[in-house]
Amino acid sequence: MKLTMKVLQVGVLSIWLSGFIFIALSFYATRKLPSFNDDRISHHLFNHSAPKIAIFSAPAPFTGSVGSRQSLAIRSWLGLSPQITVLLFTQHPSAFAFARDFGSRLMVEPNIDFTFLGTPFFHSMMARTWAFTSDIYVLIDPETILLPDFISTLNYAYKVNRDWLLVASSHNVSHFPFCLSDDGKHWLRKDGKRVRAQEFQEILDQSQQGNLCEGKMLMAWNSGELPLNNGVFPPFLYGKGTHNPWVISEALLCEFRFVFDASLTISSFSLNDSMHLSNQLGRVSHVTDAEKRIWEYVGNSHLGALYGSSFFHEINSSHLAKLMNCYGKYLIVNTTKNTVYPVIHERPCSWKQRIFHSSRLKKTMACVDGTESSNRRLDCSLTDQLKTSAPLDYPFSLESLLSVVADKNKTIVLAVAGYSYRDMLMSWVCRLRLLRVTNFMVCALDHETYQFSIFQGLPVFNDPSAPSNISFNDCHFGTKCFQRVTKVKSRMVLQILKLGYNVLLSDVDVYWFRNPMPLLYSFGPSVLAAQSDEYNTAGPINLPRRLNSGFYFARSDSSTIAAMEKVVKHAVTSGLSEQPSFYDTLCGEGGSNRVGDNRCVEPETNLTIHFLDRNLFPNGAYLDLWLKKNVKGACAKTGCLVLHNNWISGRLKKLERQVLSGLWDYDITTRMCVQSWHRTKLMS
């Protein structure tokens, strides 16, 4: 609708066009936002200090054309202002090498949550931004180039004393003939002369601008006291759709912050590359079936529908107020409400003291009309991505998953878990991630655990022959459920051994202080190294039925495979758990195959069973370590590599003991691993 206005001296603007439409000089009055004469919207006009700006991004490896585009983009950010600091979320070595040339202004943060394929978690990234000290936070695609009006727009937003969220879409540019100067401050033509602003504008005018629903965009917000949304962030995968429109929708609905679109005042673009796949963040682009990584987008859509209230509302990008710059003056325009908000004044004054001249107003409104009509084509539904009926499933077979996860020695760490142990599973995973142990896999005993593990970015597979009706049972030691579940473990270990991979089987209630693999490798072939369940401090540790089948290392060799086949066969006919089958088969009933105080030799396969040193691999009853006031300190004195949380009855008691001891690394409320920056705020 055309907005033609006549200014009344009292400051109330009216228009005649099919009736009276009042143009309010207030922020979003119908959305319960304060007016401009509200104290909370007062402008800090005499605060001349430039705001500190922290830019966050999650780059792909700095290799090839992708690395070149990322390098150019990041240099463009740093060249805009000395007040800018950049933090990159990645664990790839190339990022650390790239960052060395920029000193303290460019940092690499590997300590957030990533999937097993290397995709960062959006909610972990957002949590990390809040732990960083800055005036303004910006989250941006790593290939997006920023031009100087980015700084002027943020400087404007910073002067408004109200919490806000700014979003801006980006252009796709196919031809960009300019290069950045060595100091990153100026764009140069081929002849070495500086590029004029008009030349940039011509390129952007000829390019395609994305929308806020699907295209690349940046988000910026001030370091206020109010959160962006009401509740927690879902464990979205970054760069896999849904999370940006979800944040905008939730921010609009909760009304904690003023949300506006600055796409018209921030010039940003990325260089188009049709050969660039969206999965460059991952580490398995060579796996044909997984190249498109469709499940990551499906998972984000499911999460967007499950969390928050956006799913129940139809929210369009046109609902956002637009920030415009007309003749050097910023205006905030809400086209759905036909309202225009004049902004920064030359000196402190209330809007009632301000008298607009009609000629100037007409020029301004003509600017608004022209910009609005050209921008209307970018309107889109922010909630469409939340509506999906596609099932969430991995495209991996067990064989293909093993090839991705296994380390250079073809070894994997295997955990078997049901849904009632999902939180303990995640604490175990978080601990392994902290130790940089990445070659772990999860065998899900039920569909709920399988889905949960995919959402958490774990390498998981289903066991189709697992017993049913165990998801919500308390499968602790001694129950029928426990007896059935444990037999899954030995069967899966045998299957993986036959595929040519070594297996360290670790129950999720085994806490890892250090990586035990270097020691376990030292035992060589035809040796199965297992934890002893003996609790007496003196005497043999290989006594009858003292082999703990919750922690053992098995190599993929003929002796071990043959012996494990005997264990699995014995367990099928046993009415007990698999643990007695391990001992009776390998060490003989009553310990007839015992050798010394810490070994057995299975005579038919010639497999040696080595019972691990309990000072290094203590069970839950040894030395009463779990009863110590400082469990971690007591274990440090004995030299523990791991500590098993067994010899206790009941899942809840086990969970309580581990949490209270401080041997817990997972935040259940936020679905994130506990990081050092959760406790210590990094000063910029």
Side-chain angles (χ1 to χ4, degrees), residues 373-385:
S373 59
S374 63
N375 192 55
R376 192 176 294 138
R377 61 184 174 79
L378 299 177
D379 288 348
C380 58
S381 171
L382 291 167
T383 50
D384 275 354
Q385 292 188 36

Side-chain angles (χ1 to χ4, degrees), residues 554-671:
R555 288 183 178 270
S556 179
D557 55 48
S558 58
S559 296
T560 306
I561 292 173
M564 285 298 298
E565 286 179 331
K566 292 167 64 72
V567 171
V568 171
K569 184 177 180 180
H570 186 281
V572 169
T573 60
S574 171
L576 303 175
S577 70
E578 68 167 4
Q579 191 152 297
S581 294
F582 263 87
Y583 191 90
D584 292 353
T585 301
L586 301 179
C587 292
E589 292 188 12
S592 58
N593 299 331
R594 288 175 54 206
V595 178
D597 291 341
N598 64 351
R599 287 183 300 148
C600 296
V601 176
E602 203 287 315
E604 294 183 9
T605 62
N606 203 32
L607 177 71
T608 297
I609 296 83
H610 182 93
F611 288 75
L612 293 165
D613 184 344
R614 289 175 300 166
N615 287 322
L616 301 178
F617 300 88
N619 59 64
Y622 181 67
L623 296 179
D624 289 330
L625 290 171
W626 283 107
L627 301 180
K628 305 297 183 184
K629 185 176 182 180
N630 182 353
V631 178
K632 188 176 295 186
C635 283
K637 289 182 180 179
T638 63
C640 301
L641 292 175
V642 304
L643 175 62
H644 204 149
N645 189 8
N646 64 342
W647 285 98
I648 186 171
S649 181
R651 178 181 60 86
L652 293 179
K653 291 181 180 179
K654 179 177 295 199
L655 186 67
E656 180 183 30
R657 181 165 77 172
Q658 190 159 337
V659 171
L660 293 179
S661 71
L663 304 184
W664 191 261
D665 296 282
Y666 181 60
D667 187 333
I668 297 173
T669 58
T670 62
R671 294 297 179 200

